[in-house]
């Protein structure tokens, strides 16, 4: 038995779903614990490509329990559409469970997300406009609608009668938008509730029972460490806690049941949306990393926006090790670097205001983080395809050196290397779950 958290160690889109899919083979339960339809998780299998937004990718395996945990925000329309698409492709929903206490993204959340972004003008966050921020804001204000409320006509009516007029004041007076009709929303969302009801339950109890039965549970993170509401590049973050600590809160389990935390990073780095990105590359290097035209091109799965691309940032890698307590890393998309004459890794920052060098991120506070410029080490590229490599020693020596350097820099072992989109385009260097639990090396002293 092992209970494992998979988290994004960068700005999201690290290839978490590919790694989760690999590890799901041996899991009994796969749990999403935060975020909502802002996520876009790609899994490529023999039968085709799947793009998940709300549903845990574990649904690709028959017989697994797939849990949408209480820490998630669920847009019922998006959920039913995604599920319908998966069922049309022959997938089985018998293991699907939705937490009764997860919050619901309502129509006014979607409208307000877009309106707030427009109003921010140059200070916009670049959200996915999936209503994430406004849904979590209502949760914190204790005016949210939970999945359970969609199952009770009277309760939903009462709540909407209170909430909708207040949202309409914002819509009409602040944003000059038409008001919403509480009755129409009620009718539509009761219908969604009816369709979702067979999946709704106390998912925390299900997970706890699975723990008692010594089953294997995989917690599938969405977004990434630098998008974490508390520990990311605020305000350019999402409104939930994608980091490992968030798995306990968001799934309703205690930290003592967690055995391993695996961080997923690309062999370079990407970001979609606004906010600081010290190693970002414009021009030819950015374009070469973006791989436009390839099936794995750096284009947002949810919004279709081109992703910003840059070199691997080991300072942020060390930060992710610290914030998540990573045991090991999975490094994805190594193959994207195959045709580079040289590759770079950011090993430290220089403060553009003071000229001071920082080997560790001095602070994630925006006023400091946005002043950091990268100090690079440069390596010769390998100029050889890696996609067919299946063991570490199959890799070109320069690629081996690159991975060893990343490992040394971040201070935890690279257990998995991904060299292509498909399940078998993968190198397992050591068992990420049952391999030896490593103590952090010297380079992770802060
Ligand atoms: P997630 O949100 O972290 O699950 O990642 P996304 O699905 O948003 O983006 C990762 C993209 O990289 C997807 O298109 C994956 O199929 C693709 N991908 C993952 N691992 C590899 C790899 O090793 N090589 C290549 N070429 N593509 C990969
Ligand atoms: P996965 O799970 C990459 C980014 C948005 C924006 C910020 C806030 O596929 O890794 P939000 O809509 O959450 O309020 O937007 O967070 N963002 C993501 N970036 N991958 C994601 O999910 C993301 N989900 C949100 O682009 O910058
Ligand atoms: Mg993604």
């Amino acid at each position: 038995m092992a209970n494992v958290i998979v988290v994004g160690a960068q700005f999201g889109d690290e290839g978490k779903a590919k790694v989760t899919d690999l590890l799901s083979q041996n899991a009994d339960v796969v749990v999403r614990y935060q975020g909502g339809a802002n996520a876009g998780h790609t899994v490529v299998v023999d039968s085709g490509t799947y793009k998940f937004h709300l549903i845990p990718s574990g649904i690709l395996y028959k017989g697994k329990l797939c849990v949408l945990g209480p820490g998630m925000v669920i847009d019922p329309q998006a959920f039913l559409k995604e599920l319908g698409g998966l069922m049309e492709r022959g997938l089985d929903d018998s293991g699907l469970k939705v937490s009764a206490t997860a919050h619901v993204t309502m129509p006014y959340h979607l409208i307000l997300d877009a309106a707030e972004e427009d109003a921010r003008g140059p200070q916009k966050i670049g959200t996915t406009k999936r209503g994430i921020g406004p849904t979590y804001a209502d949760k914190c204000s204790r005016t949210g609608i939970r999945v359970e409320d969609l199952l009770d006509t009277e309760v939903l009516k009462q709540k909407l009668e209170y909430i909708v007029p207040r949202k309409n004041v914002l819509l009409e007076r602040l944003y000059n938008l038409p008001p919403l009709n509480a009755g129409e929303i009620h009718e539509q969302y009761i219908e969604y509730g009816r369709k979702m009801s067979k999946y709704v339950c106390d998912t925390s109890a299900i997970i706890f029972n699975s723990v008692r039965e010594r089953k294997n549970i995989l917690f599938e993170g969405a977004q990434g460490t630098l998008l974490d509401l508390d520990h990311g590049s605020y305000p350019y973050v999402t409104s939930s806690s994608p980091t490992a600590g968030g798995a306990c809160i968001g799934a309703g389990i205690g930290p003592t049941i967690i055995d391993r935390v695996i961080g997923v990073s690309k062999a370079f780095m990407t970001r979609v949306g606004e906010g600081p990105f010290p190693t970002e590359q414009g021009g030819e290097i950015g374009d070469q990393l973006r791989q436009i035209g390839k099936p794995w091109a750096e284009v947002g799965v949810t919004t279709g926006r081109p992703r910003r691309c840059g070199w691997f940032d080991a300072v942020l890698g060390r930060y992710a090790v610290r914030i998540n307590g990573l045991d090991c890393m999975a490094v994805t998309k190594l193959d994207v670097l195959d045709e580079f004459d040289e590759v770079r890794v950011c090993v430290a920052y220089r403060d553009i205001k003071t000229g001071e060098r920082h080997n560790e991120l001095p602070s994630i506070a925006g006023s400091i983080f946005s002043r950091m410029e990268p100090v690079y080490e440069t390596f010769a590229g390998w100029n050889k395809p890696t996609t067919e490599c299946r063991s570490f020693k199959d890799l070109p020596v320069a690629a081996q050196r690159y991975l060893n350097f990343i490992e040394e820099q971040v201070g935890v072992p690279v257990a998995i290397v991904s060299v292509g989109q498909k399940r078998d385009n993968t190198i397992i260097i050591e068992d990420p779950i049952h391999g030896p639990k490593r103590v952090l090396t010297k380079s992770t002293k802060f």
Side-chain angles (χ1 to χ4, degrees):
M1 185 221 53
N3 302 322
V4 178
I5 304 173
V6 174
V7 290
Q10 299 174 322
F11 290 104
D13 300 326
E14 297 89 348
K16 296 176 293 293
K18 154 134 190 194
V19 174
T20 309
D21 173 66
L22 273 176
L23 302 176
S24 293
Q25 293 174 56
N26 298 318
D28 303 293
V29 187
V30 183
V31 184
R32 268 278 308 268
Y33 55 87
Q34 46 69 232
N38 49 349
H41 294 171
T42 316
V43 180
V44 179
V45 289
D46 289 342
S47 58
T49 298
Y50 291 84
K51 292 179 188 291
F52 298 99
H53 298 285
L54 283 161
I55 295 178
S57 58
I59 198 159
L60 288 174
Y61 295 91
K62 205 171 162 53
K64 314 260 176 209
L65 282 183
C66 288
V67 175
L68 283 79
M72 285 188 74
V73 290
I74 301 172
D75 175 341
Q77 191 175 13
F79 170 82
L80 291 167
K81 185 170 169 221
E82 183 174 343
L83 182 60
L86 293 173
M87 290 181 72
E88 263 172 35
R89 294 177 75 176
L91 295 184
D92 165 36
D93 67 346
S94 60
L96 194 60
K97 307 283 171 201
V98 176
S99 168
T101 56
H103 277 251
V104 178
T105 296
M106 302 296 289
Y108 41 84
H109 294 135
L110 296 164
I111 298 170
L112 287 169
D113 193 0
E116 283 165 10
E117 274 288 272
D118 285 348
R120 282 187 199 108
Q123 291 172 51
K124 72 172 188 209
I125 292 162
T127 74
T128 60
K129 300 193 178 167
R130 294 300 184 273
I132 305 300
T135 313
Y136 278 115
D138 275 2
K139 170 178 172 171
C140 290
S141 307
R142 292 154 295 175
T143 49
I145 304 280
R146 309 209 296 188
V147 170
E148 61 180 337
D149 301 328
L150 305 185
L151 310 183
D152 189 320
T153 307
E154 232 0 81
V155 169
L156 185 64
K157 186 163 173 279
Q158 272 174 22
K159 290 198 171 183
L160 289 174
E161 277 171 2
Y162 172 79
I163 297 161
V164 175
R166 278 161 179 77
K167 297 296 178 192
N168 281 342
V169 173
L170 285 178
L171 292 176
E172 290 185 279
R173 299 217 197 136
L174 196 55
Y175 296 114
N176 207 14
L177 290 168
L180 295 170
N181 180 305
E184 284 172 16
I185 298 176
H186 181 264
E187 196 179 324
Q188 193 180 16
Y189 280 70
I190 284 295
E191 179 57 14
Y192 290 147
R194 195 186 59 73
K195 290 185 176 151
M196 289 173 71
S197 60
K198 68 173 180 171
Y199 308 112
V200 179
C201 57
D202 180 345
T203 56
S204 161
I206 288 184
I207 299 170
F208 192 59
N209 287 337
S210 301
V211 172
R212 281 186 165 155
E213 289 164 19
R214 306 192 67 73
K215 299 230 167 110
N216 297 313
I217 303 161
L218 190 59
F219 297 91
E220 176 179 15
Q223 290 82 50
T225 303
L226 280 310
L227 292 177
D228 185 277
L229 180 60
D230 294 287
H231 308 293
S233 55
Y234 191 89
Y236 303 101
V237 293
T238 192
S239 299
S240 67
S241 304
T243 43
C248 295
I249 310 269
I253 47 115
T256 47
I257 75 140
I258 302 299
D259 298 296
R260 290 285 165 115
V261 184
I262 302 172
V264 185
S265 278
K266 281 175 182 154
F268 49 101
M269 203 146 192
T270 64
R271 174 164 207 169
V272 59
E274 307 302 314
F277 181 0
T279 61
E280 182 172 13
Q281 299 295 303
E284 267 177 44
I285 293 173
D287 287 343
Q288 202 179 341
L289 290 169
R290 205 166 294 115
Q291 305 262 296
I292 294 297
K294 302 267 172 61
W296 54 87
E298 294 297 352
V299 174
V301 175
T302 301
T303 59
R305 293 176 290 178
R307 294 176 184 148
R308 302 156 64 192
C309 296
W311 297 119
F312 186 87
D313 187 331
V315 183
L316 293 183
R318 292 195 280 278
Y319 181 72
V321 167
R322 161 152 69 98
I323 296 294
N324 296 293
L326 297 184
D327 288 303
C328 64
M329 301 255 289
V331 173
T332 63
K333 292 194 123 173
L334 184 72
D335 53 300
V336 170
L337 300 182
D338 286 353
E339 287 168 16
F340 279 82
D341 292 331
E342 58 178 37
V343 287
R344 293 179 148 199
V345 173
C346 166
V347 295
Y349 290 147
R350 198 176 323 278
D351 186 326
I352 52 172
K353 193 168 159 201
T354 64
E356 202 182 341
R357 179 186 163 119
H358 295 280
N359 291 333
E360 304 305 336
L361 181 62
S363 168
I364 193 69
S367 53
I368 298 175
F369 184 40
S370 56
R371 296 205 312 253
M372 296 297 128
E373 75 175 12
V375 176
Y376 289 114
E377 283 213 16
T378 303
F379 298 82
W382 41 95
N383 273 302
K384 283 194 190 114
T386 53
T387 300
E388 297 311 318
C389 297
R390 292 293 173 270
S391 74
F392 187 71
K393 65 178 177 14
D394 290 347
L395 288 169
V397 173
Q400 295 185 8
R401 279 206 203 105
Y402 182 73
L403 291 168
N404 283 338
F405 186 73
I406 286 181
E407 183 168 82
E408 219 173 81
Q409 282 285 315
V410 300
V412 294
V414 173
I416 301 175
V417 182
S418 174
V419 287
Q421 281 188 300
K422 295 186 184 155
R423 272 182 189 160
D424 67 342
N425 298 145
T426 308
I427 297 170
I428 306 288
I429 299 179
E430 67 172 55
D431 184 335
I433 298 176
H434 302 101
K437 187 143 175 109
R438 303 280 190 97
V439 278
L440 301 178
T441 62
K442 264 199 219 147
S443 62
T444 40
K445 266 195 195 162
F446 291 99

